[in-house]
Amino acid sequence: MPNRTSSPTPARPADAGPRPSRTPPLGGPAPILASAVLWGTTGTAGSLAPAGAPAAAIGCAGLALGGVLMYLTTRGARSLPAACTRAERWLLVLGALAVAGYPVTFYPAVARTGVAVATVIALGSAPVFAGLLSWITGQARPTARWTAATTAAVPGCALLVLGPELSGDATPMDLTGVVLAAAAGLSYAVYSLIGGGLITRGHPSGAVMGVLFGAAGLLVLPLVLSLDTRWLATSRGAAVAGYLALFTVYLAYRLFGHGLRRTPASVATSLTLAEPAVAAVLGVTVLGERLPVASWSGLAVLAVGLVLLTVPVGAGGRRR
């Protein structure tokens, strides 16, 4: 992706007319934050699944249903591979593998290390991986603003999620679980960069996300069928899977793809650190969970990092 550092004019050829001074309401970070809010409801929705439903099956079922739905209902998804170059088609394959790799690595990490540790490692490592990969591939150099925002957001995310453990006895950390959680963060960063790169090359965001998630849904479908699927036959299980598919996959990733039109993937992955904040608030208000002072402090630090990424720079017209 092009480097979207602060500049007095957008990174397009200049024309004779003046440039608009404001980002459209559905452009930039707004859709990214909206998708993070939807993703933050995943834990609350998953807790309503029938007892005994495998965690990996819940996540993969949502991806399979939502991904295939995205592909079937997205205009231009079927014709996208033909419109791509050979190199871009390989990027689509790699992106679909990365999308499928997230639930395959994240949910086993949760089983080994717990939700708190797996979440903070996966979400905390994703923006770091995205920034480094953007730099290595020459898509964008990490800016001072991104560095400062991520430096604030990642520790804030850690305090938010690990606050309950910091106030009590720590449990031994599973090294395999840590590696799996980091692999989930890498998967998320990879498909964010690939999706953002294809979109900024002129391909429709809906078609790109439809192909990536449709293919990934087919890839994880055998895993869903190989696990216990009896929970899906219940009304509660079907409702949970339907919600995850429609809102946390279909709608959330459409918003995410739309936001990637004007937001670098390194910034987008940092913005989605709002997800654990939403999950924490829902845990308190809906599930009756309690957060220690350390978690609320982390929420405040995380908010500072998000503000650094979303608020335009200065009043002199220089913006992200």
Side-chain angles (χ1 to χ4, degrees):
M1 264 179 310
N3 182 13
R4 306 202 176 210
T5 55
S6 300
S7 173
T9 57
R12 302 192 292 178
D15 56 27
R19 296 295 183 183
S21 59
R22 293 183 179 180
T23 301
L26 291 180
I32 304 294
L33 286 175
S35 64
V37 170
L38 290 173
W39 291 328
T41 67
T42 301
T44 302
S47 67
L48 301 177
I58 296 172
C60 289
L63 173 58
L65 294 172
V68 172
L69 179 63
M70 283 181 67
Y71 178 77
L72 294 177
T73 60
T74 299
R75 184 178 181 180
R78 298 182 183 181
S79 60
L80 177 63
C84 291
T85 64
R86 182 177 181 181
E88 289 174 339
R89 285 194 288 271
W90 279 111
L91 286 177
L92 287 173
V93 173
L94 179 59
L97 290 172
V99 172
Y102 186 86
V104 171
T105 53
F106 179 71
Y107 289 99
V110 169
R112 286 180 171 271
T113 66
V115 174
V117 175
T119 301
V120 72
I121 293 174
L123 296 181
S125 64
V128 178
F129 282 130
L132 293 177
L133 289 174
S134 294
W135 189 14
I136 292 172
T137 58
Q139 297 183 31
R141 295 185 61 184
T143 63
R145 191 181 190 189
W146 175 86
T147 302
T150 303
T151 301
V154 172
C157 183
L159 280 173
L160 170 64
V161 180
L162 295 177
E165 293 189 12
L166 293 175
S167 61
D169 295 332
T171 57
M173 190 170 294
D174 188 295
L175 182 58
T176 301
V178 171
V179 173
L180 287 171
L186 178 60
S187 296
Y188 175 46
V190 168
Y191 73 72
S192 297
L193 287 168
I194 290 175
L198 292 172
I199 291 168
T200 55
R201 293 180 186 183
H203 296 294
S205 60
V208 171
M209 289 296 167
V211 171
L212 290 180
F213 280 81
L218 293 177
L219 288 174
V220 301
L221 186 59
L223 177 61
V224 175
L225 298 177
S226 68
L227 299 174
D228 186 4
T229 58
R230 289 176 293 179
W231 65 278
L232 276 171
T234 66
S235 57
R236 178 181 293 184
V240 169
Y243 175 83
L244 294 175
L246 290 175
F247 291 94
T248 67
V249 175
Y250 182 80
L251 178 57
Y253 280 102
R254 280 197 179 279
L255 289 170
F256 186 69
H258 187 84
L260 283 177
R261 293 177 181 178
R262 291 183 173 88
T263 307
S266 58
V267 175
T269 49
S270 295
L271 287 170
T272 53
L273 288 172
E275 178 186 346
V278 173
V281 171
L282 287 176
V284 172
T285 59
V286 177
L287 302 178
E289 298 177 352
R290 298 179 63 87
L291 289 178
V293 175
S295 291
W296 288 115
S297 300
L299 183 60
V301 175
L302 177 57
V304 171
L306 294 175
V307 167
L308 288 174
L309 287 172
T310 55
V311 175
V313 178
R318 293 174 65 89
R319 299 188 290 119
R320 290 286 299 177

